[in-house]
Each structure stands twice: as structure tokens, then as C-alpha cells.
Amino acid sequence: MAAVHGARAQVGMAASAPATELYELISGDLTLTEDLFEASGLIGSRDHRAERVRQNTRRVSGSLTFQPNAAELANLIPRILGAAASGTTYDIAETLPSFVTVIDYVQTVMTYSGCVCNRGTFRATQGGPLELQMAVEGLTHSSGAAGTFPSLTLNTATGPFIFSDAVISV
């Protein structure tokens, strides 16, 4: 599957299935990639021998970009750093927690399991919203029928962070 398309597409996450957190996805390309092994030996012909092609590695990989609010960041930062919050302080852990990402492509619902955040990139420009791009690696995926995405509500208690909200210390 390519990036999410359509006004009705949605993305959810949770520590395990089913998804319990709904996010507004700005862009994303999380997908399953399958590599094939193809023997390229000589067989006395130019014909391609399909019987000699084998499935090799499979991996879930891609990125998800959000414009998060405070409640969403409280869920996403521990996935990036590996440790739960202690008040408003986040420690860095040696291991990252795995999570499930569910993407409703309208025609099908894809569930990506065993996901971990490979990299979290925050960026903002003057007058614009804070963006978080999560590079995600996962183990498996499964495909569900249209309409099987859980009924979730987007957290609208606060709006997304804007660059002018920031206080930066180095």
C-alpha cells in the first residue's frame, strides 16, 4: 500500500491490538516490503524459471508524520524514548516498547504489529505547527476487511503545538 489517501482514511495505535488511540495523520508510508531471492544461474535458456524464485526477507518499515497536541505527545514520546513519563520528564531507556499501528485505507484495514520507533524527528518553522515524524520498523502485518477499524475519537482537548509555543534551551 502507498501513502494514506482519501478523506476517510485514519490511523490508530496502541500497546497491543486493537488500536485505542486515534491520530490525525499528516503523511505516512508505512508498508510491508518483501524481498525475493531469484537464482540467476545458467539453464540453457533465456526463460525465467518462476519455480526458482523464493520469498526472502519481509519487513514493515516507513514513516508516520503527525502534528501532535499535548495528549498525543504523552503517548508518542514514550514510544520514541522508551520510558514512561515521570511528571513532565522523560528518561531514555535501553529498550523501546513495541506497539501496534492500524491504518484504515477505507478499502482495507492494515494492522502492523511489533512496531518500534526507529527515529523521532521534531521540526517546526516560524508560524507553523510542530511536526513529529516517526520512522517505524515492524515485524508483521495483517489485512482486515473494510469497516473493521475500531470506533475511536480524536483527542481535541487542545490543539496542536505551534512554533510560537516553544521555549528552546540548549
Side-chain angles (χ1 to χ4, degrees):
M1 289 269 153
V4 176
H5 296 288
R8 299 189 64 193
Q10 39 190 345
V11 64
M13 289 183 184
S16 60
T20 57
E21 309 156 10
L22 183 65
Y23 294 92
E24 181 177 6
L25 186 67
I26 303 305
S27 65
D29 61 0
L30 189 62
T31 187
L32 173 76
T33 303
E34 296 182 272
D35 293 326
L36 301 175
F37 171 77
E38 178 180 1
S40 58
L42 300 174
I43 59 170
S45 172
R46 291 188 199 193
D47 287 343
H48 174 73
R49 303 296 302 198
E51 315 71 54
R52 302 282 296 164
V53 176
R54 299 255 339 259
Q55 181 178 331
N56 198 357
T57 57
R58 296 169 49 119
R59 69 181 193 146
V60 172
S61 184
S63 65
L64 302 170
T65 303
F66 307 103
Q67 293 173 346
N69 62 23
E72 294 166 342
L73 275 179
N75 294 328
L76 296 172
I77 288 177
R79 293 183 180 134
I80 297 168
L81 299 178
S86 174
T88 57
T89 303
Y90 293 87
D91 288 329
I92 297 174
E94 287 296 320
T95 59
L96 296 174
S98 65
F99 56 93
V100 172
T101 303
V102 181
I103 302 178
D104 182 358
Y105 289 104
V106 180
Q107 296 171 337
T108 186
V109 176
M110 301 299 287
T111 301
Y112 300 97
S113 301
C115 296
V116 292
C117 181
N118 185 34
R119 179 180 57 250
T121 305
F122 292 89
R123 75 178 141 248
T125 57
Q126 183 176 354
L130 172 74
E131 282 193 350
L132 167 59
Q133 182 180 42
M134 292 176 62
V136 176
E137 299 291 328
L139 295 176
T140 63
H141 91 297
S142 61
S143 178
T148 58
F149 190 85
S151 178
L152 302 173
T153 303
L154 187 65
N155 184 317
T156 57
T158 60
F161 288 103
I162 303 297
F163 184 75
S164 59
D165 295 335
V167 175
I168 300 172
S169 300
V170 179

PDB file of all heavy atoms in Angstrom, residues 24 66-77 88 90 122-132 158-167:
ATOM      1  N   GLU A  24      -4.361  12.153  13.956  1.00  0.00           N
ATOM      2  CA  GLU A  24      -4.537  12.794  12.661  1.00  0.00           C
ATOM      3  C   GLU A  24      -3.219  12.646  11.912  1.00  0.00           C
ATOM      4  O   GLU A  24      -2.204  13.217  12.309  1.00  0.00           O
ATOM      5  CB  GLU A  24      -4.895  14.268  12.835  1.00  0.00           C
ATOM      6  CG  GLU A  24      -5.120  14.971  11.524  1.00  0.00           C
ATOM      7  CD  GLU A  24      -5.550  16.424  11.697  1.00  0.00           C
ATOM      8  OE1 GLU A  24      -5.562  16.917  12.848  1.00  0.00           O
ATOM      9  OE2 GLU A  24      -5.851  17.056  10.687  1.00  0.00           O
ATOM     10  N   PHE A  66       2.915  13.407  12.168  1.00  0.00           N
ATOM     11  CA  PHE A  66       1.792  13.950  12.916  1.00  0.00           C
ATOM     12  C   PHE A  66       2.059  15.406  13.260  1.00  0.00           C
ATOM     13  O   PHE A  66       3.206  15.849  13.278  1.00  0.00           O
ATOM     14  CB  PHE A  66       1.598  13.196  14.244  1.00  0.00           C
ATOM     15  CG  PHE A  66       1.493  11.707  14.110  1.00  0.00           C
ATOM     16  CD1 PHE A  66       2.567  10.892  14.435  1.00  0.00           C
ATOM     17  CD2 PHE A  66       0.326  11.115  13.670  1.00  0.00           C
ATOM     18  CE1 PHE A  66       2.476   9.519  14.328  1.00  0.00           C
ATOM     19  CE2 PHE A  66       0.229   9.744  13.550  1.00  0.00           C
ATOM     20  CZ  PHE A  66       1.303   8.945  13.877  1.00  0.00           C
ATOM     21  N   GLN A  67       0.988  16.132  13.592  1.00  0.00           N
ATOM     22  CA  GLN A  67       1.072  17.454  14.212  1.00  0.00           C
ATOM     23  C   GLN A  67       0.392  17.292  15.567  1.00  0.00           C
ATOM     24  O   GLN A  67      -0.776  17.611  15.746  1.00  0.00           O
ATOM     25  CB  GLN A  67       0.387  18.516  13.352  1.00  0.00           C
ATOM     26  CG  GLN A  67       1.118  18.754  12.047  1.00  0.00           C
ATOM     27  CD  GLN A  67       0.361  19.667  11.104  1.00  0.00           C
ATOM     28  OE1 GLN A  67      -0.819  19.954  11.276  1.00  0.00           O
ATOM     29  NE2 GLN A  67       1.050  20.130  10.067  1.00  0.00           N
ATOM     30  N   PRO A  68       1.127  16.761  16.553  1.00  0.00           N
ATOM     31  CA  PRO A  68       0.506  16.316  17.800  1.00  0.00           C
ATOM     32  C   PRO A  68       0.161  17.444  18.775  1.00  0.00           C
ATOM     33  O   PRO A  68       0.774  18.509  18.764  1.00  0.00           O
ATOM     34  CB  PRO A  68       1.579  15.409  18.408  1.00  0.00           C
ATOM     35  CG  PRO A  68       2.858  15.991  17.904  1.00  0.00           C
ATOM     36  CD  PRO A  68       2.551  16.496  16.519  1.00  0.00           C
ATOM     37  N   ASN A  69      -0.826  17.139  19.627  1.00  0.00           N
ATOM     38  CA  ASN A  69      -1.124  18.018  20.753  1.00  0.00           C
ATOM     39  C   ASN A  69      -0.488  17.395  22.000  1.00  0.00           C
ATOM     40  O   ASN A  69       0.185  16.363  21.916  1.00  0.00           O
ATOM     41  CB  ASN A  69      -2.634  18.241  20.904  1.00  0.00           C
ATOM     42  CG  ASN A  69      -3.407  16.970  21.180  1.00  0.00           C
ATOM     43  OD1 ASN A  69      -2.869  15.966  21.668  1.00  0.00           O
ATOM     44  ND2 ASN A  69      -4.692  16.997  20.876  1.00  0.00           N
ATOM     45  N   ALA A  70      -0.693  18.008  23.165  1.00  0.00           N
ATOM     46  CA  ALA A  70      -0.042  17.544  24.390  1.00  0.00           C
ATOM     47  C   ALA A  70      -0.439  16.118  24.753  1.00  0.00           C
ATOM     48  O   ALA A  70       0.400  15.302  25.147  1.00  0.00           O
ATOM     49  CB  ALA A  70      -0.361  18.496  25.538  1.00  0.00           C
ATOM     50  N   ALA A  71      -1.720  15.780  24.622  1.00  0.00           N
ATOM     51  CA  ALA A  71      -2.183  14.435  24.979  1.00  0.00           C
ATOM     52  C   ALA A  71      -1.587  13.379  24.045  1.00  0.00           C
ATOM     53  O   ALA A  71      -1.210  12.292  24.486  1.00  0.00           O
ATOM     54  CB  ALA A  71      -3.706  14.375  24.938  1.00  0.00           C
ATOM     55  N   GLU A  72      -1.480  13.698  22.769  1.00  0.00           N
ATOM     56  CA  GLU A  72      -0.897  12.756  21.815  1.00  0.00           C
ATOM     57  C   GLU A  72       0.602  12.581  22.066  1.00  0.00           C
ATOM     58  O   GLU A  72       1.118  11.469  21.990  1.00  0.00           O
ATOM     59  CB  GLU A  72      -1.168  13.229  20.386  1.00  0.00           C
ATOM     60  CG  GLU A  72      -2.646  13.191  20.035  1.00  0.00           C
ATOM     61  CD  GLU A  72      -2.988  13.950  18.766  1.00  0.00           C
ATOM     62  OE1 GLU A  72      -2.183  14.787  18.311  1.00  0.00           O
ATOM     63  OE2 GLU A  72      -4.076  13.703  18.230  1.00  0.00           O
ATOM     64  N   LEU A  73       1.302  13.666  22.378  1.00  0.00           N
ATOM     65  CA  LEU A  73       2.729  13.560  22.677  1.00  0.00           C
ATOM     66  C   LEU A  73       2.972  12.717  23.926  1.00  0.00           C
ATOM     67  O   LEU A  73       3.973  12.007  24.007  1.00  0.00           O
ATOM     68  CB  LEU A  73       3.353  14.940  22.863  1.00  0.00           C
ATOM     69  CG  LEU A  73       3.797  15.656  21.599  1.00  0.00           C
ATOM     70  CD1 LEU A  73       4.369  17.027  21.929  1.00  0.00           C
ATOM     71  CD2 LEU A  73       4.793  14.835  20.807  1.00  0.00           C
ATOM     72  N   ALA A  74       2.047  12.777  24.883  1.00  0.00           N
ATOM     73  CA  ALA A  74       2.193  11.958  26.091  1.00  0.00           C
ATOM     74  C   ALA A  74       2.175  10.472  25.748  1.00  0.00           C
ATOM     75  O   ALA A  74       2.787   9.662  26.444  1.00  0.00           O
ATOM     76  CB  ALA A  74       1.077  12.285  27.084  1.00  0.00           C
ATOM     77  N   ASN A  75       1.510  10.080  24.662  1.00  0.00           N
ATOM     78  CA  ASN A  75       1.512   8.695  24.197  1.00  0.00           C
ATOM     79  C   ASN A  75       2.700   8.390  23.287  1.00  0.00           C
ATOM     80  O   ASN A  75       3.225   7.277  23.293  1.00  0.00           O
ATOM     81  CB  ASN A  75       0.219   8.376  23.434  1.00  0.00           C
ATOM     82  CG  ASN A  75      -1.001   8.409  24.303  1.00  0.00           C
ATOM     83  OD1 ASN A  75      -0.948   8.096  25.489  1.00  0.00           O
ATOM     84  ND2 ASN A  75      -2.127   8.786  23.732  1.00  0.00           N
ATOM     85  N   LEU A  76       3.108   9.367  22.477  1.00  0.00           N
ATOM     86  CA  LEU A  76       4.134   9.120  21.460  1.00  0.00           C
ATOM     87  C   LEU A  76       5.566   9.217  21.991  1.00  0.00           C
ATOM     88  O   LEU A  76       6.426   8.449  21.576  1.00  0.00           O
ATOM     89  CB  LEU A  76       3.940  10.086  20.284  1.00  0.00           C
ATOM     90  CG  LEU A  76       2.629   9.915  19.506  1.00  0.00           C
ATOM     91  CD1 LEU A  76       2.457  11.041  18.494  1.00  0.00           C
ATOM     92  CD2 LEU A  76       2.568   8.564  18.830  1.00  0.00           C
ATOM     93  N   ILE A  77       5.842  10.144  22.897  1.00  0.00           N
ATOM     94  CA  ILE A  77       7.215  10.315  23.396  1.00  0.00           C
ATOM     95  C   ILE A  77       7.745   9.053  24.071  1.00  0.00           C
ATOM     96  O   ILE A  77       8.888   8.667  23.822  1.00  0.00           O
ATOM     97  CB  ILE A  77       7.341  11.564  24.291  1.00  0.00           C
ATOM     98  CG1 ILE A  77       7.243  12.809  23.408  1.00  0.00           C
ATOM     99  CG2 ILE A  77       8.653  11.559  25.058  1.00  0.00           C
ATOM    100  CD1 ILE A  77       7.288  14.122  24.159  1.00  0.00           C
ATOM    101  N   THR A  88       6.652  15.564  34.030  1.00  0.00           N
ATOM    102  CA  THR A  88       6.874  16.040  32.662  1.00  0.00           C
ATOM    103  C   THR A  88       8.288  15.726  32.183  1.00  0.00           C
ATOM    104  O   THR A  88       8.760  16.292  31.211  1.00  0.00           O
ATOM    105  CB  THR A  88       6.634  17.563  32.579  1.00  0.00           C
ATOM    106  OG1 THR A  88       7.492  18.213  33.524  1.00  0.00           O
ATOM    107  CG2 THR A  88       5.186  17.906  32.857  1.00  0.00           C
ATOM    108  N   TYR A  90      10.970  12.823  30.774  1.00  0.00           N
ATOM    109  CA  TYR A  90      11.041  11.534  30.102  1.00  0.00           C
ATOM    110  C   TYR A  90      12.481  11.048  30.107  1.00  0.00           C
ATOM    111  O   TYR A  90      13.377  11.760  29.652  1.00  0.00           O
ATOM    112  CB  TYR A  90      10.552  11.645  28.646  1.00  0.00           C
ATOM    113  CG  TYR A  90       9.090  11.947  28.524  1.00  0.00           C
ATOM    114  CD1 TYR A  90       8.621  13.256  28.533  1.00  0.00           C
ATOM    115  CD2 TYR A  90       8.157  10.931  28.401  1.00  0.00           C
ATOM    116  CE1 TYR A  90       7.277  13.543  28.420  1.00  0.00           C
ATOM    117  CE2 TYR A  90       6.808  11.201  28.284  1.00  0.00           C
ATOM    118  CZ  TYR A  90       6.378  12.511  28.301  1.00  0.00           C
ATOM    119  OH  TYR A  90       5.037  12.778  28.187  1.00  0.00           O
ATOM    120  N   PHE A 122      11.499  15.941  15.364  1.00  0.00           N
ATOM    121  CA  PHE A 122      10.619  17.074  15.592  1.00  0.00           C
ATOM    122  C   PHE A 122      11.097  18.226  14.727  1.00  0.00           C
ATOM    123  O   PHE A 122      12.296  18.483  14.633  1.00  0.00           O
ATOM    124  CB  PHE A 122      10.672  17.510  17.071  1.00  0.00           C
ATOM    125  CG  PHE A 122      10.062  16.504  18.000  1.00  0.00           C
ATOM    126  CD1 PHE A 122      10.831  15.490  18.546  1.00  0.00           C
ATOM    127  CD2 PHE A 122       8.723  16.584  18.341  1.00  0.00           C
ATOM    128  CE1 PHE A 122      10.285  14.564  19.417  1.00  0.00           C
ATOM    129  CE2 PHE A 122       8.154  15.653  19.212  1.00  0.00           C
ATOM    130  CZ  PHE A 122       8.931  14.658  19.748  1.00  0.00           C
ATOM    131  N   ARG A 123      10.149  18.947  14.123  1.00  0.00           N
ATOM    132  CA  ARG A 123      10.525  20.121  13.344  1.00  0.00           C
ATOM    133  C   ARG A 123       9.367  21.117  13.359  1.00  0.00           C
ATOM    134  O   ARG A 123       8.200  20.736  13.473  1.00  0.00           O
ATOM    135  CB  ARG A 123      10.950  19.747  11.936  1.00  0.00           C
ATOM    136  CG  ARG A 123       9.855  19.373  11.014  1.00  0.00           C
ATOM    137  CD  ARG A 123      10.382  19.067   9.603  1.00  0.00           C
ATOM    138  NE  ARG A 123       9.629  17.926   9.106  1.00  0.00           N
ATOM    139  CZ  ARG A 123      10.127  16.733   8.899  1.00  0.00           C
ATOM    140  NH1 ARG A 123      11.392  16.498   9.084  1.00  0.00           N
ATOM    141  NH2 ARG A 123       9.381  15.757   8.488  1.00  0.00           N
ATOM    142  N   ALA A 124       9.726  22.381  13.254  1.00  0.00           N
ATOM    143  CA  ALA A 124       8.736  23.456  13.192  1.00  0.00           C
ATOM    144  C   ALA A 124       9.380  24.646  12.495  1.00  0.00           C
ATOM    145  O   ALA A 124      10.598  24.805  12.512  1.00  0.00           O
ATOM    146  CB  ALA A 124       8.271  23.849  14.588  1.00  0.00           C
ATOM    147  N   THR A 125       8.545  25.443  11.882  1.00  0.00           N
ATOM    148  CA  THR A 125       9.013  26.671  11.263  1.00  0.00           C
ATOM    149  C   THR A 125       8.176  27.813  11.812  1.00  0.00           C
ATOM    150  O   THR A 125       7.066  27.602  12.315  1.00  0.00           O
ATOM    151  CB  THR A 125       8.880  26.628   9.726  1.00  0.00           C
ATOM    152  OG1 THR A 125       7.516  26.374   9.391  1.00  0.00           O
ATOM    153  CG2 THR A 125       9.769  25.565   9.118  1.00  0.00           C
ATOM    154  N   GLN A 126       8.702  29.003  11.709  1.00  0.00           N
ATOM    155  CA  GLN A 126       8.025  30.172  12.258  1.00  0.00           C
ATOM    156  C   GLN A 126       6.592  30.254  11.744  1.00  0.00           C
ATOM    157  O   GLN A 126       6.342  30.180  10.541  1.00  0.00           O
ATOM    158  CB  GLN A 126       8.782  31.436  11.879  1.00  0.00           C
ATOM    159  CG  GLN A 126       8.201  32.693  12.472  1.00  0.00           C
ATOM    160  CD  GLN A 126       9.032  33.917  12.147  1.00  0.00           C
ATOM    161  OE1 GLN A 126      10.104  33.799  11.564  1.00  0.00           O
ATOM    162  NE2 GLN A 126       8.540  35.068  12.513  1.00  0.00           N
ATOM    163  N   GLY A 127       5.652  30.347  12.676  1.00  0.00           N
ATOM    164  CA  GLY A 127       4.242  30.457  12.319  1.00  0.00           C
ATOM    165  C   GLY A 127       3.564  29.137  11.999  1.00  0.00           C
ATOM    166  O   GLY A 127       2.365  29.093  11.773  1.00  0.00           O
ATOM    167  N   GLY A 128       4.323  28.059  11.971  1.00  0.00           N
ATOM    168  CA  GLY A 128       3.760  26.758  11.601  1.00  0.00           C
ATOM    169  C   GLY A 128       3.600  25.834  12.792  1.00  0.00           C
ATOM    170  O   GLY A 128       4.057  26.118  13.900  1.00  0.00           O
ATOM    171  N   PRO A 129       2.980  24.691  12.565  1.00  0.00           N
ATOM    172  CA  PRO A 129       2.782  23.721  13.646  1.00  0.00           C
ATOM    173  C   PRO A 129       4.035  22.873  13.876  1.00  0.00           C
ATOM    174  O   PRO A 129       4.866  22.713  12.984  1.00  0.00           O
ATOM    175  CB  PRO A 129       1.645  22.849  13.119  1.00  0.00           C
ATOM    176  CG  PRO A 129       1.828  22.887  11.636  1.00  0.00           C
ATOM    177  CD  PRO A 129       2.332  24.272  11.325  1.00  0.00           C
ATOM    178  N   LEU A 130       4.141  22.325  15.086  1.00  0.00           N
ATOM    179  CA  LEU A 130       5.185  21.354  15.391  1.00  0.00           C
ATOM    180  C   LEU A 130       4.827  20.059  14.672  1.00  0.00           C
ATOM    181  O   LEU A 130       3.683  19.608  14.729  1.00  0.00           O
ATOM    182  CB  LEU A 130       5.242  21.103  16.896  1.00  0.00           C
ATOM    183  CG  LEU A 130       6.160  19.960  17.341  1.00  0.00           C
ATOM    184  CD1 LEU A 130       7.609  20.393  17.231  1.00  0.00           C
ATOM    185  CD2 LEU A 130       5.819  19.520  18.739  1.00  0.00           C
ATOM    186  N   GLU A 131       5.787  19.477  13.970  1.00  0.00           N
ATOM    187  CA  GLU A 131       5.582  18.190  13.312  1.00  0.00           C
ATOM    188  C   GLU A 131       6.477  17.147  13.948  1.00  0.00           C
ATOM    189  O   GLU A 131       7.615  17.429  14.297  1.00  0.00           O
ATOM    190  CB  GLU A 131       5.896  18.271  11.813  1.00  0.00           C
ATOM    191  CG  GLU A 131       4.828  18.906  11.000  1.00  0.00           C
ATOM    192  CD  GLU A 131       5.019  18.695   9.501  1.00  0.00           C
ATOM    193  OE1 GLU A 131       6.094  18.203   9.078  1.00  0.00           O
ATOM    194  OE2 GLU A 131       4.105  19.037   8.752  1.00  0.00           O
ATOM    195  N   LEU A 132       5.937  15.970  14.084  1.00  0.00           N
ATOM    196  CA  LEU A 132       6.698  14.820  14.560  1.00  0.00           C
ATOM    197  C   LEU A 132       6.661  13.766  13.476  1.00  0.00           C
ATOM    198  O   LEU A 132       5.584  13.314  13.075  1.00  0.00           O
ATOM    199  CB  LEU A 132       6.089  14.262  15.850  1.00  0.00           C
ATOM    200  CG  LEU A 132       6.589  12.881  16.289  1.00  0.00           C
ATOM    201  CD1 LEU A 132       8.088  12.880  16.509  1.00  0.00           C
ATOM    202  CD2 LEU A 132       5.848  12.425  17.523  1.00  0.00           C
ATOM    203  N   THR A 158      -6.934  19.943  23.294  1.00  0.00           N
ATOM    204  CA  THR A 158      -6.050  21.064  22.960  1.00  0.00           C
ATOM    205  C   THR A 158      -5.660  20.924  21.500  1.00  0.00           C
ATOM    206  O   THR A 158      -5.675  19.826  20.937  1.00  0.00           O
ATOM    207  CB  THR A 158      -4.771  21.060  23.824  1.00  0.00           C
ATOM    208  OG1 THR A 158      -4.070  19.839  23.604  1.00  0.00           O
ATOM    209  CG2 THR A 158      -5.091  21.210  25.296  1.00  0.00           C
ATOM    210  N   GLY A 159      -5.302  22.030  20.898  1.00  0.00           N
ATOM    211  CA  GLY A 159      -4.866  21.996  19.507  1.00  0.00           C
ATOM    212  C   GLY A 159      -3.411  21.592  19.410  1.00  0.00           C
ATOM    213  O   GLY A 159      -2.717  21.440  20.422  1.00  0.00           O
ATOM    214  N   PRO A 160      -2.916  21.416  18.203  1.00  0.00           N
ATOM    215  CA  PRO A 160      -1.504  21.064  18.026  1.00  0.00           C
ATOM    216  C   PRO A 160      -0.604  22.215  18.473  1.00  0.00           C
ATOM    217  O   PRO A 160      -1.026  23.363  18.541  1.00  0.00           O
ATOM    218  CB  PRO A 160      -1.375  20.802  16.525  1.00  0.00           C
ATOM    219  CG  PRO A 160      -2.531  21.471  15.900  1.00  0.00           C
ATOM    220  CD  PRO A 160      -3.616  21.539  16.932  1.00  0.00           C
ATOM    221  N   PHE A 161       0.630  21.881  18.800  1.00  0.00           N
ATOM    222  CA  PHE A 161       1.603  22.898  19.183  1.00  0.00           C
ATOM    223  C   PHE A 161       1.972  23.741  17.959  1.00  0.00           C
ATOM    224  O   PHE A 161       2.082  23.232  16.850  1.00  0.00           O
ATOM    225  CB  PHE A 161       2.875  22.253  19.740  1.00  0.00           C
ATOM    226  CG  PHE A 161       2.687  21.658  21.100  1.00  0.00           C
ATOM    227  CD1 PHE A 161       2.563  20.289  21.260  1.00  0.00           C
ATOM    228  CD2 PHE A 161       2.638  22.465  22.226  1.00  0.00           C
ATOM    229  CE1 PHE A 161       2.394  19.732  22.513  1.00  0.00           C
ATOM    230  CE2 PHE A 161       2.472  21.924  23.481  1.00  0.00           C
ATOM    231  CZ  PHE A 161       2.352  20.550  23.629  1.00  0.00           C
ATOM    232  N   ILE A 162       2.164  25.037  18.189  1.00  0.00           N
ATOM    233  CA  ILE A 162       2.594  25.965  17.154  1.00  0.00           C
ATOM    234  C   ILE A 162       3.998  26.438  17.537  1.00  0.00           C
ATOM    235  O   ILE A 162       4.347  26.502  18.716  1.00  0.00           O
ATOM    236  CB  ILE A 162       1.628  27.176  17.049  1.00  0.00           C
ATOM    237  CG1 ILE A 162       0.191  26.684  16.777  1.00  0.00           C
ATOM    238  CG2 ILE A 162       2.055  28.157  15.965  1.00  0.00           C
ATOM    239  CD1 ILE A 162       0.014  25.961  15.460  1.00  0.00           C
ATOM    240  N   PHE A 163       4.813  26.762  16.557  1.00  0.00           N
ATOM    241  CA  PHE A 163       6.197  27.160  16.801  1.00  0.00           C
ATOM    242  C   PHE A 163       6.303  28.254  17.870  1.00  0.00           C
ATOM    243  O   PHE A 163       7.199  28.234  18.704  1.00  0.00           O
ATOM    244  CB  PHE A 163       6.856  27.632  15.491  1.00  0.00           C
ATOM    245  CG  PHE A 163       8.312  27.961  15.639  1.00  0.00           C
ATOM    246  CD1 PHE A 163       9.247  26.951  15.751  1.00  0.00           C
ATOM    247  CD2 PHE A 163       8.747  29.273  15.657  1.00  0.00           C
ATOM    248  CE1 PHE A 163      10.600  27.237  15.874  1.00  0.00           C
ATOM    249  CE2 PHE A 163      10.092  29.582  15.783  1.00  0.00           C
ATOM    250  CZ  PHE A 163      11.010  28.552  15.899  1.00  0.00           C
ATOM    251  N   SER A 164       5.365  29.192  17.886  1.00  0.00           N
ATOM    252  CA  SER A 164       5.423  30.282  18.873  1.00  0.00           C
ATOM    253  C   SER A 164       5.176  29.787  20.293  1.00  0.00           C
ATOM    254  O   SER A 164       5.440  30.522  21.249  1.00  0.00           O
ATOM    255  CB  SER A 164       4.412  31.373  18.502  1.00  0.00           C
ATOM    256  OG  SER A 164       3.111  30.836  18.453  1.00  0.00           O
ATOM    257  N   ASP A 165       4.698  28.542  20.485  1.00  0.00           N
ATOM    258  CA  ASP A 165       4.532  27.972  21.826  1.00  0.00           C
ATOM    259  C   ASP A 165       5.858  27.523  22.419  1.00  0.00           C
ATOM    260  O   ASP A 165       5.947  27.288  23.627  1.00  0.00           O
ATOM    261  CB  ASP A 165       3.631  26.715  21.779  1.00  0.00           C
ATOM    262  CG  ASP A 165       2.210  27.018  21.362  1.00  0.00           C
ATOM    263  OD1 ASP A 165       1.761  28.162  21.556  1.00  0.00           O
ATOM    264  OD2 ASP A 165       1.549  26.109  20.833  1.00  0.00           O
ATOM    265  N   ALA A 166       6.884  27.392  21.606  1.00  0.00           N
ATOM    266  CA  ALA A 166       8.124  26.751  22.026  1.00  0.00           C
ATOM    267  C   ALA A 166       9.006  27.659  22.872  1.00  0.00           C
ATOM    268  O   ALA A 166       9.086  28.868  22.675  1.00  0.00           O
ATOM    269  CB  ALA A 166       8.918  26.291  20.806  1.00  0.00           C
ATOM    270  N   VAL A 167       9.667  27.028  23.831  1.00  0.00           N
ATOM    271  CA  VAL A 167      10.768  27.631  24.571  1.00  0.00           C
ATOM    272  C   VAL A 167      11.918  26.646  24.402  1.00  0.00           C
ATOM    273  O   VAL A 167      11.820  25.499  24.792  1.00  0.00           O
ATOM    274  CB  VAL A 167      10.428  27.796  26.072  1.00  0.00           C
ATOM    275  CG1 VAL A 167      11.649  28.304  26.813  1.00  0.00           C
ATOM    276  CG2 VAL A 167       9.249  28.721  26.236  1.00  0.00           C
TER     277      VAL A 167
END
